[in-house]
Amino acid sequence: SAVRTEPIEVYGMPAGYSTVVSGGSHSCALSANGGVLCWGDNQYGQLGDGTNTSRTSPAQVYGLSQGVLAIAAGRAHTCAMTASQVLCWGYNAYGQVGSGNRLDYRTPVAVVGIYHPPTKITAGSDHSCAIQDNGVVKCWGFNSNGQLGNGTRDDAIIATAVEGVDGIDFNAVDAGERHTCAISTAGETMCWGMNQDGQLGSGSIERSTIPAEVQGIEQRAMDVALGNNHTCAVLEDRNVLCWGDNLYGQLGDGTTYDVWLPVQTNGLG
C-alpha cells in the first residue's frame, strides 16, 4: 500500500463518528450512538470482527453496534467501555484483554474484575486500565516495570486494583508503553511503571510499582496524556507541563534533553 503525505478520507466511513483512536497498526471509531468500527492490521483479532483478516476499510466490531461510551487502542488490542462493563479483544499474550486467560480474542469479551461501573478506560502498549465509578483504578496485562501499579512486576490476566492509594479517588488515567499516570479528584498527578527516561516525574529514574506523586506541579491538574516514554499534564490554568524522554523535542521546552521533573511547554499561548 502507498504511503500518504496528505490526509485522505477513510473509505466507507458513515457519517456521525466523532471519536477515533489508533493502536500500533489499527484504528477504531466510535459513533454518537455508541457503535464501533475498526480497520487496519488484524493479525490478533484486534479489529473485533470475528476474523483475523486485515481490513483496508472500517469493519463493524461484533456485537458493538450501539451502547459504547469510550474506546481505547493498544499495540494490538482494543477496549471499549459501556455503562456497566469494559470489553476488550485482540492480542492477549500478557493478559491485556483481561479475560482471565492468555488467549487472543477476535470478538469483544468482558474484562474480569471490574465490579463497579467504569468511567474511563485507556490502553497502553500491552496493558489496559479503567477507573470505576468508586474512584478506584484497576489495570491488567503486561507488568514488566510495574505499569499495573499493584506493587508487583507480575502480569495480571484480570483487572487488579492499583495499590498504595487508599482514600484517593481518581477521575483521569492514561497509559504509555510501560508506564501509567492518573489524576485524583483533588488534582494530584500520580504515575507508576517504567522510568528510565524520567517519565514518572519523580525526580529520579527509578521505576515504581505503585503510584508515586509527580513532583513540581504546584497547581491542580485537569488531564494527563502519555506517549511511549514521556508524559504531559494540563493544569487548571491551561498551561501544559511535560517530563520524560525528549530525544525528539517531544516535551516542547525548546531542548532535546530528558527531564525527570515537569517543565513548561513553550509556545502554546
Side-chain angles (χ1 to χ4, degrees):
S1 60
V3 174
R4 305 289 185 178
T5 59
E6 295 181 355
I8 59 172
E9 185 175 353
V10 176
Y11 177 78
M13 174 64 72
Y17 281 75
S18 58
T19 300
V20 177
V21 297
S22 292
S25 300
H26 74 292
S27 301
C28 297
L30 176 65
S31 72
N33 73 336
V36 184
L37 300 177
C38 294
W39 60 97
D41 182 26
N42 199 25
Q43 179 181 358
Y44 301 101
Q46 58 264 50
L47 302 190
D49 65 350
T51 76
N52 289 108
T53 303
S54 296
R55 307 287 182 181
T56 57
S57 60
Q60 177 68 55
V61 176
Y62 180 82
L64 297 185
S65 60
Q66 61 182 0
V68 174
L69 303 176
I71 53 177
R75 179 168 63 93
H77 76 289
T78 314
C79 294
M81 183 186 83
T82 71
S84 60
Q85 62 183 342
V86 178
L87 304 163
C88 296
W89 58 95
Y91 188 49
N92 195 31
Y94 304 106
Q96 58 266 54
V97 169
S99 57
N101 57 47
R102 295 176 185 264
L103 303 174
D104 296 345
Y105 282 82
R106 294 180 293 184
T107 58
V109 61
V111 174
V112 179
I114 301 294
Y115 301 126
H116 295 266
T119 60
K120 296 285 175 63
I121 59 169
T122 185
S125 181
D126 291 300
H127 73 289
S128 314
C129 297
I131 301 178
Q132 300 180 151
D133 69 355
N134 62 351
V136 172
V137 179
K138 288 194 169 185
C139 298
W140 56 97
F142 196 35
N143 197 29
S144 59
N145 283 263
Q147 57 263 46
L148 303 188
N150 62 11
T152 79
R153 292 172 59 192
D154 300 325
D155 298 347
I157 60 175
I158 66 172
T160 60
V162 170
E163 298 291 337
V165 288
D166 291 347
I168 300 176
D169 294 340
F170 292 90
N171 58 13
V173 65
D174 200 28
E177 182 179 21
R178 297 183 185 179
H179 76 296
T180 312
C181 297
I183 298 176
S184 73
T185 54
E188 179 183 25
T189 306
M190 307 186 82
C191 297
W192 55 94
M194 179 181 277
N195 197 29
Q196 66 180 17
D197 297 305
Q199 58 262 52
L200 301 189
S202 61
S204 77
I205 53 172
E206 182 178 351
R207 71 165 63 92
S208 179
T209 61
I210 61 173
E213 183 181 358
V214 176
Q215 302 299 304
I217 298 182
E218 298 179 355
Q219 291 195 35
R220 179 188 180 96
M222 306 300 292
D223 203 1
V224 64
L226 278 58
N228 276 357
N229 297 303
H230 76 290
T231 310
C232 294
V234 180
L235 306 186
E236 192 170 32
D237 66 0
R238 302 303 176 184
N239 278 313
V240 176
L241 299 180
C242 297
W243 56 96
D245 183 22
N246 198 28
L247 178 63
Y248 302 103
Q250 55 263 55
L251 304 188
D253 68 341
T255 78
T256 55
Y257 300 106
D258 295 354
V259 296
W260 303 350
L261 292 169
V263 293
Q264 179 76 45
T265 297
N266 299 328
L268 292 179

